[in-house]
Amino acid sequence: AQTVTQSQPEMSVQEAETVTLSCTYDTSESNYYLFWYKQPPSRQMILVIRQEAYKQQNATENRFSVNFQKAAKSFSLKISDSQLGDTAMYFCAFRSGSARQLTFGSGTQLTVLP
Amino acid sequence: GAVVSQHPSWVICKSGTSVKIECRSLDFQATTMFWYRQFPKQSLMLMATSNEGSKATYEQGVEKDKFLINHASLTLSTLTVTSAHPEDSSFYICSAIQGSAEAFFGQGTRLTVV
């Protein structure tokens, strides 16, 4: 079974600064996908970024980028130029290539301070 | 991204009554839908996976007779909480996928049983 670990329950960052959220996972599969989802106070789950395991290049989406270290089974999220609207719970998630369900980490509550 | 609509957004019901929550994929056909439960400040807990036209697959510990799931079409899945009790009060979230694409989430339903 796959597991996803987020070791930072809470983090804070000053507006305009950069913050990195950590995520590690455990799997024996070679084909899988990794995701970061954001859940703001509205509680709507929003996809931030996705990474296919077979791709060596780290995914980027505007101010959001990942550091995917496959050998170390690490998948961290970097948020640059943090904005107040980035305040949310962030979940790291894993999906194997052979399954459709997501396995979520426990989440990191990020607060962007003005 | 694709849109998943979940209704109602919140509901209050009396203990012993049943409540139905709908999850619709508005602009795509969802081969698979998932139902999650989320407690405050915690991660999403998968309750069941439903495929159109077949019985739902429940996770261990989830009572299938209490949480009835129907996936009658490629755009609609329903979760019925039967004989609800205060301990069933929670935030319920659905998600839908088409093929191997990423999951899209409904806005969630806050259920309060009084």
Side-chain angles (χ1 to χ4, degrees):
Chain A
Q2 293 83 16
T3 59
V4 179
T5 302
Q6 294 179 251
S7 59
Q8 305 152 314
E10 297 181 354
M11 293 190 72
S12 62
V13 62
Q14 291 293 138
E15 196 174 6
E17 296 294 310
T18 295
V19 64
T20 299
L21 280 57
S22 302
C23 173
T24 59
Y25 59 95
D26 189 25
T27 184
S28 58
E29 303 201 21
S30 58
N31 180 28
Y32 53 88
Y33 304 86
L34 295 163
F35 306 85
W36 278 98
Y37 282 91
K38 166 185 175 180
Q39 188 180 41
S42 67
R43 304 191 78 171
Q44 171 74 57
M45 293 286 285
I46 301 166
L47 177 65
V48 175
I49 201 165
R50 66 176 280 173
Q51 174 83 43
E52 290 85 351
Y54 65 84
K55 289 186 178 180
Q56 293 186 342
Q57 189 171 8
N58 290 324
T60 62
E61 285 288 341
N62 300 313
R63 298 183 295 108
F64 299 88
S65 61
V66 298
N67 183 3
F68 174 46
Q69 300 291 323
K70 191 171 184 178
K73 296 181 181 175
S74 171
F75 183 61
S76 60
L77 174 69
K78 185 173 81 171
I79 306 174
S80 305
D81 186 24
S82 297
Q83 300 176 0
L84 296 178
D86 295 333
T87 292
M89 180 75 90
Y90 287 81
F91 292 102
C92 179
F94 171 101
R95 195 186 89 208
S96 77
S98 59
R100 294 179 175 176
Q101 65 265 33
L102 292 166
T103 300
F104 287 94
S106 55
T108 296
Q109 174 63 51
L110 175 68
T111 301
V112 180
L113 304 169
Chain B
V3 178
V4 175
S5 178
Q6 185 175 340
H7 290 283
S9 298
W10 60 270
V11 58
I12 301 173
C13 71
K14 291 185 177 181
S15 186
T17 62
S18 296
V19 174
K20 180 184 286 187
I21 302 169
E22 291 189 348
C23 180
R24 293 180 184 271
S25 56
L26 297 186
D27 50 2
F28 67 102
Q29 293 186 323
T31 50
T32 305
M33 288 185 171
F34 303 92
W35 287 95
Y36 298 87
R37 184 172 181 175
Q38 186 181 31
F39 293 102
K41 297 188 178 181
Q42 293 189 24
S43 189
L44 282 69
M45 180 185 74
L46 180 65
M47 299 175 65
T49 302
S50 76
N51 295 291
E52 185 266 339
S54 61
K55 289 185 177 180
T57 302
Y58 290 82
E59 295 300 301
Q60 191 173 9
V62 177
E63 300 176 59
K64 60 181 181 182
D65 293 332
K66 165 165 275 297
F67 299 100
L68 298 178
I69 292 171
N70 184 281
H71 193 160
S73 75
L74 284 172
T75 59
L76 174 64
S77 177
T78 60
L79 167 68
T80 301
V81 183
T82 63
S83 186
H85 288 93
E87 57 266 30
D88 299 324
S89 297
S90 192
F91 191 70
Y92 294 88
I93 307 175
C94 73
S95 74
I97 62 171
Q98 181 183 42
S100 60
E102 63 254 32
F104 293 94
F105 289 81
Q107 55 268 63
T109 298
R110 179 179 299 282
L111 171 63
T112 302
V113 184
V114 297

